[in-house]
Structure formats: structure tokens, C-alpha cells
Amino acid sequence: MSFSNDVRSEICSSVNDKDKRFACLYGMILFSRTLSAEHICFQSESSISAELFRSLFRAVIKVEPSIEQHTRKNGTSLHTCEVRGSTAEAVYQKYRLAENKRVINSEIIATNSLGVFTAGVFLACGSVNDPSKEYHLEFACPEEGLAQQLETLLHDIGVTARTMVRRGQNIVYIKGSESIEDTLTFIGAPQCTLELMNMKIYKDIRNKANRIANCDAANIDKVVKAAMKQIEDIKLIDRAVGLDNLSDELREVAQLRLDNIDMSLQEIGETLSEPISRSGVNHRFKKLAKMAEELRMGGDPHEK
């Protein structure tokens, strides 16, 4: 089941009294595919939305429309509820709908039902991406004017929304995770809000873990490269003058490095017959590096 359908299911369970049914159906009708005094057509790929539309229509208008389903070429199902004639006229009278223009009439929605109205809009034309992949919620509005009004409504509740036209459709979209959380809570899906918040926490922890792992990997790579350079210097010194001709302290760190390419400077310092600090080990390797460089330049390789 998709995250969008999880939201739809939670919304359906919250539409449980007369005022909420009235407001929710208003949102579904106003943002339906076809709306006129002669013909109302509600369509959705979601059987959840279609079934709720039929249930609310029966409760509010006292008529039960039938649901038709057909399968598209891409394999998705489309659920359609249609009413015509006197039933469509009754809807227009009930909701005082304008004849030639879709307008959100806030006067017929109680203040505490505004969220349920917006839930109806979501059921009619909304979708939200799986938060594990992307933070994106949108409404594909049937008219430009409705899109602008919906954007204003969302701004009024503190949600950052934008509009655009995509393939001829007027889209109101929300990108920020916090704005999506506020919207889901506003339309009656608090459990889905918690799911989104938990996913955001999980992704944040995973990203931090990845950054730490990448940092560790980079540090390991840096240590190995440094060790390889040290081994190259030591082998050059061994071929040219022999490790036996080094001082005891340099010979010991040189031999430890040859035997332990993955050992850190601190670990080498702790392993010496007379343990020293990491900086002390680094100082000895700098001496060996200087000797090796002098050999490469044809200079005197003896310790100074």
C-alpha cells in the first residue's frame, strides 16, 4: 500500500460526523474532474477515495451514485462516480455552487471544518510521495483559479506552497518536510505525520552514519598512503645503506612499519620497546623520509 493511500485511509476514518461529511464532500465535489449543474464526475485511481465519495454523497445528498472501474493501458485502475440531471442540480443548490466558475466559498464551511474540506480536496486530486524517497505533496487542480485559492488557503495555515503548470494541469505543490507534516496533520492524518517524522529521523541518522563511514574510509586511505610512502623510503634506505646502519630508534620504527602496513603511528609508538607518543613516532619517520630524499638527490644518507 502506498503512502498516499495510507493518508487517504486515515482521512476516511476521521470523517465521522455530519459537519465533517458535509465539508469533506464539498472539497471532493469542487475539485472533481467535471462539475456542472447537469453533470458531476468524480474520478480517482484510488478505490478508497471513490468509496468515500459514494458514502458521503449518500449521507449528504441522500443519493448513492454507482462506481465504475476500468483498467487503463498502463495497468492502473480508474474509479468513476457520476451523477446527472436533478441530482447534479441538488448538489448545486446544497453547496450554493457558482454556475460558470469554481470558487471556494468559505461561508459554507465552519472554521473547524476547513481542514476536513482540504482533506476532501486531497482525496479528489492530491498525492504525496513516499517520504523514504522524496518529500513532495501536490494537488492537481482542475482550474487555475482553484489552484490559486488553494495556495492561499495553505499559506494562511502557515504552509509554504507553490503553483506551476505541468502537462496542462494546474499543480499546487509542497516540498519542505515540515510543511508536508503540517498539511497532513491539518487534513486529519496525524499518524502519517508521525511516520514521515520517523522516516526523517531515520534518514538523518543514516546520512550521519554514512558521513562518518566516509570520513573513516578517507582517514584509513590517508593512513595507508602515508604508510606506503614510509615503506618506500625505508626500502630505499635498506638497499642503499642497510637498516643495520641506522640508530636503534630509527631501525625499530622502520622494522615495525615494514611488518605492519596498517598500524597507526599511535599503535607503533605503543609497541616500541620504549613507548613514545604519536608525535615522537612521526618525528622519527620524518628523519627517515629526509634520509630517503637525500639518497634520491644523490646526497649523504647518514643521520644528522
Side-chain angles (χ1 to χ4, degrees):
M1 194 174 186
S2 70
F3 187 67
S4 278
N5 275 336
D6 288 342
V7 174
R8 294 185 185 105
S9 294
E10 189 173 358
I11 288 172
C12 290
S13 65
S14 68
V15 183
N16 50 20
D17 65 33
K18 183 178 179 180
D19 288 341
K20 289 180 179 179
R21 294 187 188 100
F22 182 86
C24 187
L25 182 62
Y26 181 41
M28 297 179 84
I29 288 174
L30 194 60
F31 283 76
S32 61
R33 177 179 176 179
T34 303
L35 180 61
S36 73
E38 296 79 32
H39 180 209
I40 298 172
C41 178
F42 178 87
Q43 286 187 326
S44 176
E45 293 183 359
S46 167
S47 61
I48 297 171
S49 293
E51 288 291 347
L52 183 64
F53 180 86
R54 179 164 64 175
S55 172
L56 295 178
F57 205 92
R58 181 179 63 242
V60 177
I61 310 299
K62 310 305 180 185
V63 175
E64 183 168 353
S66 61
I67 298 177
E68 294 184 1
Q69 176 184 344
H70 76 269
T71 304
R72 295 164 165 166
K73 292 181 180 180
N74 62 7
T76 60
S77 294
L78 186 65
H79 307 270
T80 302
C81 292
E82 290 184 278
V83 295
R84 299 176 183 273
S86 60
T87 303
E89 290 177 6
V91 171
Y92 262 68
Q93 292 175 7
K94 188 82 171 178
Y95 285 107
R96 287 180 275 167
L97 298 172
E99 184 64 34
N100 299 314
K101 186 178 181 181
R102 303 197 199 196
V103 179
I104 298 175
N105 187 346
S106 58
E107 292 182 2
I108 66 172
I109 308 172
T111 303
N112 60 357
S113 296
L114 188 58
V116 189
F117 164 78
T118 312
V121 176
F122 180 86
L123 293 169
C125 63
S127 63
V128 58
N129 286 26
D130 184 337
S132 66
K133 299 175 182 177
E134 182 185 16
Y135 300 126
H136 182 89
L137 186 152
E138 71 176 38
F139 302 86
C141 303
E143 293 183 2
E144 182 182 359
L146 276 182
Q148 293 171 349
Q149 291 177 71
L150 180 60
E151 181 184 9
T152 300
L153 185 155
L154 292 169
H155 285 170
D156 288 344
I157 65 169
V159 170
T160 301
R162 298 286 185 271
T163 58
M164 67 175 178
V165 177
R166 185 178 66 216
R167 295 193 293 274
Q169 280 193 310
N170 297 282
I171 307 296
V172 178
Y173 66 94
I174 303 166
K175 282 289 189 183
S177 61
E178 291 186 2
S179 284
I180 293 175
E181 290 165 12
D182 291 342
T183 303
L184 293 179
T185 301
F186 183 63
I187 65 177
Q191 290 303 315
C192 288
T193 301
L194 290 175
E195 185 178 340
L196 189 152
M197 293 172 69
N198 288 336
M199 179 55 65
K200 186 166 66 173
I201 292 170
Y202 168 77
K203 287 167 70 174
D204 184 52
I205 293 173
R206 183 184 63 189
N207 290 339
K208 286 181 179 178
N210 287 338
R211 286 196 294 271
I212 292 171
N214 291 337
C215 182
D216 288 345
N219 287 337
I220 291 171
D221 188 51
K222 183 177 178 182
V223 168
V224 170
K225 286 182 178 179
M228 292 296 292
K229 177 63 170 62
Q230 291 161 0
I231 288 174
E232 180 184 329
D233 291 343
I234 292 166
K235 286 183 176 180
L236 174 61
I237 295 170
D238 190 24
R239 289 194 301 270
V241 299
L243 296 184
D244 290 341
N245 291 316
L246 297 176
S247 65
D248 291 344
E249 63 179 26
L250 291 185
R251 183 172 61 255
E252 189 175 11
V253 294
Q255 194 60 56
L256 275 173
R257 173 51 79 209
L258 289 175
D259 296 340
N260 303 276
I261 187 174
D262 60 342
M263 189 175 280
S264 68
L265 297 184
Q266 183 174 339
E267 289 171 332
I268 289 176
E270 293 170 350
T271 308
L272 292 171
S273 55
E274 294 184 11
I276 59 174
S277 67
R278 179 186 180 282
S279 61
V281 174
N282 188 49
H283 179 69
R284 293 184 186 184
F285 276 122
K286 282 184 177 179
K287 283 187 176 182
L288 290 170
K290 185 177 181 181
M291 292 177 64
E293 190 60 28
E294 288 175 349
L295 284 170
R296 292 186 183 96
M297 299 296 293
D300 184 0
H302 296 292
E303 296 178 59
K304 298 178 182 178

